[in-house]
Amino acid sequence: MSIEATLAEKGITLPDAPAPAANYVPFAQSGNLIFVSGQISADENGLITGKLGENVSVEDGAAAARRCGLSLIAQVKAAIGDLDRVARVVKLTGFVNSTPDFTDQPKVINGCSDLMVEVFGDVGRHSRAAVSAPSLPFGVAVEIEAVFEVA
Protein backbone atom coordinates (compact mmCIF):
# COMPACT_ATOMS: atom_id res chain seq x y z
CA MET A 1 0.00 0.00 0.00
CA SER A 2 1.33 3.46 -0.85
CA ILE A 3 2.10 5.95 1.89
CA GLU A 4 -0.62 8.26 0.56
CA ALA A 5 -3.12 5.38 0.79
CA THR A 6 -1.94 4.63 4.33
CA LEU A 7 -2.45 8.27 5.31
CA ALA A 8 -5.95 8.27 3.80
CA GLU A 9 -6.87 4.94 5.41
CA LYS A 10 -5.77 6.23 8.82
CA GLY A 11 -7.52 9.58 8.36
CA ILE A 12 -4.24 11.48 8.60
CA THR A 13 -4.14 14.82 6.80
CA LEU A 14 -0.78 16.48 6.33
CA PRO A 15 -0.56 20.23 6.88
CA ASP A 16 1.01 22.47 4.28
CA ALA A 17 4.78 22.39 4.69
CA PRO A 18 5.48 25.31 7.06
CA ALA A 19 7.63 28.18 5.80
CA PRO A 20 10.88 28.87 7.65
CA ALA A 21 10.64 31.35 10.52
CA ALA A 22 14.14 32.78 10.00
CA ASN A 23 17.16 32.64 7.66
CA TYR A 24 17.30 28.91 6.84
CA VAL A 25 15.77 26.44 4.42
CA PRO A 26 13.06 23.98 5.50
CA PHE A 27 15.07 21.03 4.18
CA ALA A 28 18.40 20.29 2.56
CA GLN A 29 19.35 17.24 0.52
CA SER A 30 22.81 15.73 0.50
CA GLY A 31 23.06 12.59 -1.60
CA ASN A 32 20.19 10.35 -0.62
CA LEU A 33 19.61 12.07 2.75
CA ILE A 34 17.03 14.78 3.40
CA PHE A 35 17.72 16.89 6.49
CA VAL A 36 14.49 18.52 7.64
CA SER A 37 14.85 21.62 9.80
CA GLY A 38 13.22 21.67 13.22
CA GLN A 39 9.44 21.74 13.03
CA ILE A 40 7.68 23.44 15.92
CA SER A 41 4.47 22.30 17.54
CA ALA A 42 1.46 23.86 15.83
CA ASP A 43 -1.98 22.83 14.70
CA GLU A 44 -4.85 24.41 12.79
CA ASN A 45 -5.44 26.76 15.76
CA GLY A 46 -1.86 28.06 15.82
CA LEU A 47 1.19 27.39 17.95
CA ILE A 48 1.08 24.78 20.70
CA THR A 49 2.89 26.54 23.53
CA GLY A 50 3.78 25.82 27.13
CA LYS A 51 6.28 24.08 29.34
CA LEU A 52 6.24 20.38 30.22
CA GLY A 53 6.37 19.87 33.97
CA GLU A 54 4.64 23.21 34.49
CA ASN A 55 1.50 23.73 32.40
CA VAL A 56 1.57 21.00 29.70
CA SER A 57 0.86 17.33 30.44
CA VAL A 58 2.93 14.48 29.01
CA GLU A 59 -0.09 13.46 26.92
CA ASP A 60 -0.52 16.96 25.50
CA GLY A 61 3.24 17.11 24.87
CA ALA A 62 3.08 13.83 22.94
CA ALA A 63 0.19 15.24 20.88
CA ALA A 64 2.32 18.34 20.17
CA ALA A 65 5.19 16.06 19.10
CA ARG A 66 2.84 14.22 16.74
CA ARG A 67 1.97 17.57 15.14
CA CYS A 68 5.70 18.19 14.66
CA GLY A 69 5.87 14.79 12.97
CA LEU A 70 3.09 15.70 10.56
CA SER A 71 5.04 18.82 9.59
CA LEU A 72 8.22 16.75 9.14
CA ILE A 73 6.38 14.42 6.75
CA ALA A 74 4.90 17.44 4.93
CA GLN A 75 8.41 18.88 4.50
CA VAL A 76 9.86 15.65 3.12
CA LYS A 77 6.90 15.41 0.74
CA ALA A 78 7.64 18.97 -0.43
CA ALA A 79 11.27 17.94 -0.93
CA ILE A 80 10.72 14.76 -2.95
CA GLY A 81 7.08 14.80 -4.08
CA ASP A 82 6.36 11.10 -3.58
CA LEU A 83 6.42 9.77 -0.01
CA ASP A 84 6.91 6.25 -1.36
CA ARG A 85 10.49 7.34 -2.08
CA VAL A 86 11.21 7.43 1.68
CA ALA A 87 13.57 4.49 2.20
CA ARG A 88 14.12 5.11 5.91
CA VAL A 89 13.42 7.53 8.70
CA VAL A 90 17.03 7.71 9.89
CA LYS A 91 16.93 9.96 12.95
CA LEU A 92 14.73 12.27 14.99
CA THR A 93 16.08 14.87 17.38
CA GLY A 94 13.39 16.16 19.72
CA PHE A 95 13.54 19.20 21.97
CA VAL A 96 11.05 19.52 24.82
CA ASN A 97 10.39 22.87 26.48
CA SER A 98 10.47 21.67 30.07
CA THR A 99 11.24 22.47 33.67
CA PRO A 100 14.63 21.43 35.09
CA ASP A 101 13.11 18.52 37.03
CA PHE A 102 11.03 17.11 34.10
CA THR A 103 12.40 13.74 32.96
CA ASP A 104 9.77 12.32 30.59
CA GLN A 105 11.18 13.80 27.37
CA PRO A 106 11.21 10.33 25.73
CA LYS A 107 7.48 9.89 26.42
CA VAL A 108 6.80 13.25 24.79
CA ILE A 109 8.88 12.56 21.66
CA ASN A 110 7.17 9.16 21.34
CA GLY A 111 4.26 11.14 19.87
CA CYS A 112 6.40 11.73 16.78
CA SER A 113 8.19 8.36 16.83
CA ASP A 114 4.88 6.50 16.97
CA LEU A 115 3.58 8.53 14.01
CA MET A 116 6.62 7.65 11.89
CA VAL A 117 6.06 3.93 12.47
CA GLU A 118 2.28 4.31 11.95
CA VAL A 119 2.84 5.98 8.58
CA PHE A 120 5.98 4.26 7.26
CA GLY A 121 5.91 0.89 9.05
CA ASP A 122 9.34 -0.65 9.69
CA VAL A 123 10.90 2.01 7.43
CA GLY A 124 9.77 4.50 10.09
CA ARG A 125 11.89 2.96 12.87
CA HIS A 126 14.71 5.37 13.62
CA SER A 127 17.47 6.44 15.96
CA ARG A 128 16.56 9.32 18.22
CA ALA A 129 17.48 11.89 20.82
CA ALA A 130 14.96 13.44 23.20
CA VAL A 131 16.32 16.37 25.18
CA SER A 132 15.11 19.11 27.45
CA ALA A 133 15.33 22.79 26.58
CA PRO A 134 14.71 25.67 28.99
CA SER A 135 12.81 27.47 26.20
CA LEU A 136 12.00 27.03 22.52
CA PRO A 137 11.16 29.51 19.73
CA PHE A 138 7.87 31.36 20.23
CA GLY A 139 7.35 29.46 23.52
CA VAL A 140 6.33 26.25 21.73
CA ALA A 141 6.18 23.02 23.71
CA VAL A 142 8.12 20.83 21.26
CA GLU A 143 10.48 21.11 18.28
CA ILE A 144 11.70 18.11 16.27
CA GLU A 145 14.14 17.79 13.37
CA ALA A 146 14.64 14.70 11.21
CA VAL A 147 16.84 12.94 8.70
CA PHE A 148 15.19 10.84 5.99
CA GLU A 149 16.85 8.53 3.49
CA VAL A 150 15.24 8.56 0.05
CA ALA A 151 15.45 6.27 -2.94
Side-chain angles (χ1 to χ4, degrees):
M1 179 183 308
S2 75
I3 299 301
E4 294 290 342
T6 298
L7 290 170
E9 178 182 281
K10 295 180 178 292
I12 298 172
T13 302
L14 295 179
D16 292 334
N23 187 18
Y24 62 90
V25 294
F27 54 83
Q29 184 166 356
S30 180
N32 64 343
L33 297 178
I34 305 281
F35 295 81
V36 180
S37 297
Q39 300 297 297
I40 58 177
S41 52
D43 61 18
E44 52 281 337
N45 298 314
L47 298 176
I48 301 170
T49 61
K51 189 175 285 287
L52 279 287
E54 184 177 286
N55 58 5
V56 178
S57 69
V58 170
E59 295 77 18
D60 287 344
R66 180 180 175 90
R67 295 300 305 199
C68 292
L70 291 171
S71 292
L72 289 166
I73 296 169
Q75 291 292 4
V76 80
K77 181 177 179 180
I80 63 172
D82 181 1
L83 289 172
D84 289 327
R85 290 186 52 210
V86 172
R88 178 95 196 247
V89 179
V90 178
K91 183 168 186 184
L92 300 179
T93 304
F95 303 92
V96 180
N97 183 355
S98 57
T99 60
D101 60 338
F102 184 80
T103 59
D104 282 334
Q105 292 82 3
K107 290 180 182 176
V108 172
I109 302 304
N110 277 347
C112 183
S113 291
D114 293 347
L115 175 69
M116 294 300 161
V117 174
E118 181 181 355
V119 171
F120 295 106
D122 282 342
V123 167
R125 298 196 183 285
H126 51 271
S127 65
R128 185 179 90 174
V131 298
S132 182
S135 66
L136 289 172
F138 311 110
V140 295
V142 181
E143 179 176 355
I144 304 174
E145 64 179 17
V147 180
F148 294 84
E149 179 185 1
V150 296

